[in-house]
Amino acid sequence: MYKENNLSKNQQIIFDLINKSSEPLKAYTILFNVQKKGIKAPPQVYRALDKLVKTGKIHKIESKNAFVACRSSSCEISKATAFSICESCEMVDEISDAKLTKYLSSFSDKKGTKYKRFNLEFFGLCKKCK
Amino acid sequence: MYKENNLSKNQQIIFDLINKSSEPLKAYTILFNVQKKGIKAPPQVYRALDKLVKTGKIHKIESKNAFVACRSSSCEISKATAFSICESCEMVDEISDAKLTKYLSSFSDKKGTKYKRFNLEFFGLCKKCK
DNA sequence: TAAAATTTGTTATAATATAACATTATGTAA
DNA sequence: TTACATAATGTTATATTATAACAAATTTTA
Ligand SMILES: [Zn+2]
Ligand SMILES: [Zn+2]
Ligand SMILES: [Zn+2]
Ligand SMILES: [Zn+2]
């Protein structure tokens, strides 16, 4: 049962829910929505979320404590994530921009230190809200 | 009493604590440390933190739910924040890099949308931990 | 000095996340 | 196949982070 893809039962249920959602989902929203499928307690949700984040299938929007499915090819197992967040309607889009990714991935600070991962969150108004 | 600077009593107490700290402080760590000064309950801390964030005196490190004093001149009331975060020792430094700020402040996505604010968090190992 | 805006104090509770432990399922290799 | 290791699950309880709601005091503005 677990061989066809690399997700376990709970991971698949939770990924499917996040993946079909048009907006970021919070852990307890997820919990309420999967209780009918037998996932009853917070640790089951958080464990699946942790794994999905680790494998890059989803990302956490840190400023919202919410999760979205990865829609980008350039984030490469979550080493380089960028999002646009609407301050009015809460919409979140993953930004896939090769130049931006390259610029930030190769960024080094004044001491010459390079970083192995970054997360960038842009805030503003989306098209609908402008 | 509130005229000499623009901070109220609780705001000043909490700002002083964060400002002299070498690491990000969490709200309940702050609460514990200011109880001897008469700040006894979470809302008092969170209200001061909200105001300090709004006025740009401190920033929230979203990935850590913790707060640091602003050390940059280029973030201009928190429109453009960037941090380096050590994954080992939890150290956080605010990055002041005019080119980076300019690049991201003028960034527009594929649809031509510009954003009015961003927060960037870099992760890696600091000098001590390498 | 009166009105408005801000800050404070306080209690209770909501929302987010993890610890700890027992059990079951799955992958690997002798 | 059996034995072992690893990963996933189920469950209860609890820790951590954050806000609601309301009353009172302080400060600012006019
Ligand atoms: Zn992605
Ligand atoms: Zn919007
Ligand atoms: Zn700053
Ligand atoms: Zn370090």
Side-chain angles (χ1 to χ4, degrees), chain B residues 76-118:
Chain B
E76 297 173 30
I77 313 186
S78 312
K79 294 279 179 288
T81 49
F83 303 94
S84 71
I85 301 171
C86 177
E87 285 175 316
S88 170
C89 73
E90 315 267 284
M91 185 223 60
V92 170
D93 257 356
E94 185 163 7
I95 294 173
S96 289
D97 187 298
K99 274 174 90 172
L100 177 67
T101 298
K102 195 179 169 195
Y103 181 82
L104 293 177
S105 295
S106 64
F107 175 84
S108 67
D109 66 21
K110 281 164 179 163
K111 296 164 194 153
T113 309
K114 291 208 175 186
Y115 300 96
K116 59 183 195 206
R117 184 164 69 84
F118 69 80

Side-chain angles (χ1 to χ4, degrees), chain A residues 48-64:
Chain A
L49 289 173
D50 285 350
K51 188 67 190 295
L52 291 166
V53 166
K54 232 174 235 152
T55 58
K57 306 279 286 182
I58 66 172
H59 303 302
K60 183 174 186 180
I61 307 301
E62 295 287 357
S63 61
K64 301 173 82 67

